[in-house]
Amino acid sequence: MRSLGLYRVLFSVTVALGAFGAFSLIGSVAANQNQSTADSGAGSQSCPKNDSGLKLPPGFCATIFADGIGHARHMVVTPNGVVYVNTWSGDYYPPNETSHEGGFLVALQDKSGSGKADVIERFGETAKTGAAGGTGIALYNDSIYAEVNDRIVRYSMPAGSLVPQGPATTVVSGLPLGGDHPMHPFIITADGLLYVDVGTATNACQVKNRTLKSPGIDPCKELETRGGIWRYDAKKTDQKFSPADRYATGIRNAEGFGVDTAGHRIFVTQHGRDQLHANWPDLYKPDQEATLPSEEVLLLKQGGDYGWPECYYDPWQGKLVLAPEYGGDGGHSIGVCASKIGPVAAQPAHWAPNGMVFYDQKQFPARYRNGVFIAFHGSWDRAPYAQGGYNVVFQPLAGNRSAGGCEIFADGFAGSVESPEGAVYRPSGVAVGPDGSLFVADDMKGRIYKITYIGGSDANAGEAKFTPCPSLTSSAGDIVRAQAKPPEGTHPDAGAAVNLPVPPGATQEMVALGNRIYHGEVAGGTCTACHGENATGTPLGPDLTKNKWLWGDGSWAGITKTITDGVPTPKQYRSAMPAMGGAELTPDQASAVAAYVWALSQH
């Protein structure tokens, strides 16, 4: 058993530390004092520009380092300040998009010291070669490692070159694809150990994924090839994915890695499971769909079992509890979860931690050292309540445990609407530069932000103003479409519903009722989570307004049947639709929703 990799970590998907071989890359290493900011507050210096739109703590500034580079996922930064980004065009994004020519991998260089990349070069495989890009990326031994489809490949970098000149060599192939979590983020340790996240294919290992009251498969065969961390040798080539190489298990989706080199620790994020109320309405209240379970930061241990799919983290009890698919009773029973490994820190439910980096540099005030920055992609499963996340959070750590609640460090990425279909930008990756700056990647429009501190390195961190994360036990709040409460109710789209067409055999009242169910005002409808507030689609579900149907003929009866039966095996989207949309609809309510959807498609 080789364990030295845990004690000498240099490179990760989010940060490159130490010397990078013979690279002769020209880049800015010093923190630029003329950065832009969104909301710098009262720092010792002012930020001359305000082009990022971000809200930051006092003394911090943000620059739009690059823009429009594709669906940017994870990044690494060389000691010379060159940023390398992996981009993706998988099922998380609208189908039939045109990919950037020149490759899914991007090199960004700021030669002028302006805080913005003035050299942008692409390389790697393209859509024409059958690639779809990827998430994971790392630096090791004068080479760039990147995920592409089911492989992790290596590009040798000649001295003085910004991009590789030759083809890639395959390091590992045969990584599982498909299902709910097809990405493969990874890190490489100093002695060449390669740790790969292989996310789960399902939400909770049910017999029928994301389906009302479908039990869990016991034992969960999926854990043989998914739901954990696998380890390989970055110095070898042509390795094949194998169940025998599993390093840790019970991790639903560990997209973020944070490496504490001094403390010899690797931390990973955990995306908490979805749809407790939608699939188990007898055991969970509607608002618990939005508040359970917490997102997690885990301390990675060889042979560790972190509980998925049998367990989830309940913040009210501060422990893992038994999932309903495996005999759980709504959060009371513990069962096998007593022997599983819980988190070292937790964050609000469904915020979606897509990237993480350990911060041990000195540019930022001392309170930010030896903790992790986490890129939260933003929720969908909090609907019909207000969504959350869409930000970068700082989680303080003290050795193997949390050092307190998290802080919302950077916010404003989404713009005025925090929802999957409304967000303008969504954080997906974080990396630390050699000068201690923090880079943030957005995977909607391909924007890269650079955040620096100009308030003075000796600022009194204890008096700094910051925004704490919401309490893990905060209520879900009001249903976002029904916050005003006159006796007759508040229906913002009532006029629009009146003007919608009515399918033959239905009534205007049915269309209006379907509108209210669709938006979560009646019967716990959850339609907006996947199809969007305006039914124009999200990465989780299709546009319902175009009169284009993947199932059925688009008639009122056909739409009613699809809603009633659900879609267990989607044709173009990664997540199944439960019967009745995961809500407790009566047949009449299902017909009403179908009438509303039909009306939208004909409007």
Side-chain angles (χ1 to χ4, degrees), residues 10 30 34 47 103 111 173 184 223 231 293 389 424 453 469-470 499 552 595:
L10 285 182
N34 295 312
C47 300
K111 296 185 71 173
S173 63
H184 308 104
L223 286 172
R231 190 173 72 175
V424 182
Y453 184 70
C469 294
N499 294 323

Side-chain angles (χ1 to χ4, degrees), residues 392-409:
V392 173
V393 156
F394 176 74
Q395 174 63 58
L397 298 172
N400 292 350
R401 59 182 177 82
S402 167
C406 61
E407 163 193 341
I408 298 177
F409 176 76

Side-chain angles (χ1 to χ4, degrees), residues 201-284:
T202 65
N203 175 41
C205 203
Q206 292 172 283
V207 173
K208 292 185 177 181
N209 187 34
R210 299 181 184 270
T211 298
L212 184 70
K213 297 183 181 180
S214 178
I217 299 171
D218 193 7
C220 179
K221 297 284 289 182
E222 188 177 334
L223 286 172
E224 296 177 3
T225 58
R226 307 288 291 255
I229 305 296
W230 265 250
R231 190 173 72 175
Y232 295 93
D233 190 337
K235 299 184 290 294
K236 295 181 179 180
T237 59
D238 294 321
Q239 298 168 93
K240 305 297 183 184
F241 175 81
S242 169
D245 297 314
R246 187 177 64 189
Y247 184 80
T249 191
I251 305 174
R252 182 173 176 270
N253 186 23
E255 287 200 59
F257 287 84
V259 180
D260 174 10
T261 55
H264 320 306
R265 303 176 183 94
I266 299 177
F267 297 95
V268 298
T269 59
Q270 161 104 293
H271 279 237
R273 49 116 5 114
D274 304 321
Q275 297 175 302
L276 283 170
H277 166 72
N279 289 343
W280 302 94
D282 295 341
L283 298 177
Y284 298 92

Side-chain angles (χ1 to χ4, degrees), residues 288-310:
Q288 289 180 299
E289 181 86 356
T291 59
L292 288 173
S294 297
E295 309 290 37
E296 303 172 50
V297 173
L298 309 173
L299 177 63
L300 191 61
K301 298 179 180 180
Q302 184 168 13
D305 185 341
Y306 297 86
W308 185 91
E310 297 161 304

Side-chain angles (χ1 to χ4, degrees), residues 11-32:
F11 304 108
S12 80
V13 294
T14 48
V15 62
L17 306 172
F20 189 41
F23 271 45
S24 299
L25 304 176
I26 302 172
S28 172
V29 202
N32 189 280

Side-chain angles (χ1 to χ4, degrees), residues 68-87:
I69 66 169
H71 298 299
R73 296 290 286 178
H74 285 183
M75 304 169 287
V76 284
V77 189
T78 72
N80 293 48
V82 178
V83 179
Y84 289 93
V85 189
N86 201 352
T87 67

